[in-house]
Every structure is written in C-alpha cells, then in structure tokens.
Amino acid sequence: MLNENPIPARLKAARKKAKITQKELGVKIGMEESSASGRMNHYEKGRHMPDIGTLRRMAQELNVPLNYFFCDDDLSAEIACAIAKLSTEQQTKLLEDLVKQSD
C-alpha cells in the first residue's frame, strides 16, 4: 500500500467490521438516501476522496480514530484503534513508556 492512498481500503474494512452497508453508512453521516450508496462506493473504490469533515463523520460512525484512515499498513491501523480506546491518562503513560524505550 506504500504508494497507494490508504483511505479507500481502510474505509471498506471499517465499514465491513461495523457490519453496515455503503448506503447505511452514507445515510448515517448525512447523505441523501438516493445517492448514499453510490457516493460511498466511489469513496471505497478511490474514484473520489471524501473531505475531512466527511472523513470525521465516518470515523465517528465507524468507531475508529480519524488517523486510522491514513495508516499505510494493518499493524499501524490496529495500533491507532487500540490507542484511541485508551483514556488520555493511559495514552500519556504509553507515550512516556515508548519515549523511555527509545532513549
């Protein structure tokens, strides 16, 4: 995926994990019912790219952090999701531990 835009594949994976259709996701984030499926299909195929506001709404609806869509590999995506589930305090502790390990 290195030279590819990761957004289409990440979007499709998150939507499938959430067990909702393209149309359902589109409607949930505010698209017209008549065009939701087609627009979401274009995003997943990489024909069009959602703007940042649309990406934020998708992330919220799919319960993934915004940065998930930009991860180049599955491991980074899983790490982003796991970190997002931590409290701010836990995230701070994790960062401190990682910094210590890299010194």
Side-chain angles (χ1 to χ4, degrees), residues 21-40:
T21 66
Q22 291 174 335
K23 182 176 183 175
E24 288 169 330
L25 178 58
V27 170
K28 286 180 180 214
I29 64 165
M31 292 179 183
E32 292 292 326
E33 195 170 331
S34 61
S35 63
S37 181
R39 284 182 60 191
M40 293 305 302

Side-chain angles (χ1 to χ4, degrees), residues 68 71 73-83:
Y68 164 86
C71 293
D73 58 69
D74 291 340
L75 180 59
S76 296
E78 287 181 44
I79 291 169
C81 289
I83 290 171

Side-chain angles (χ1 to χ4, degrees), residues 35-47:
S35 63
S37 181
R39 284 182 60 191
M40 293 305 302
N41 183 270
H42 282 192
Y43 293 153
E44 288 186 10
K45 298 282 188 195
R47 290 189 196 110

Side-chain angles (χ1 to χ4, degrees), residues 6-22:
I7 294 172
R10 293 273 165 248
L11 174 56
K12 185 174 184 175
R15 181 184 58 76
K16 286 187 170 244
K17 186 174 181 182
K19 296 183 168 102
I20 60 174
T21 66
Q22 291 174 335

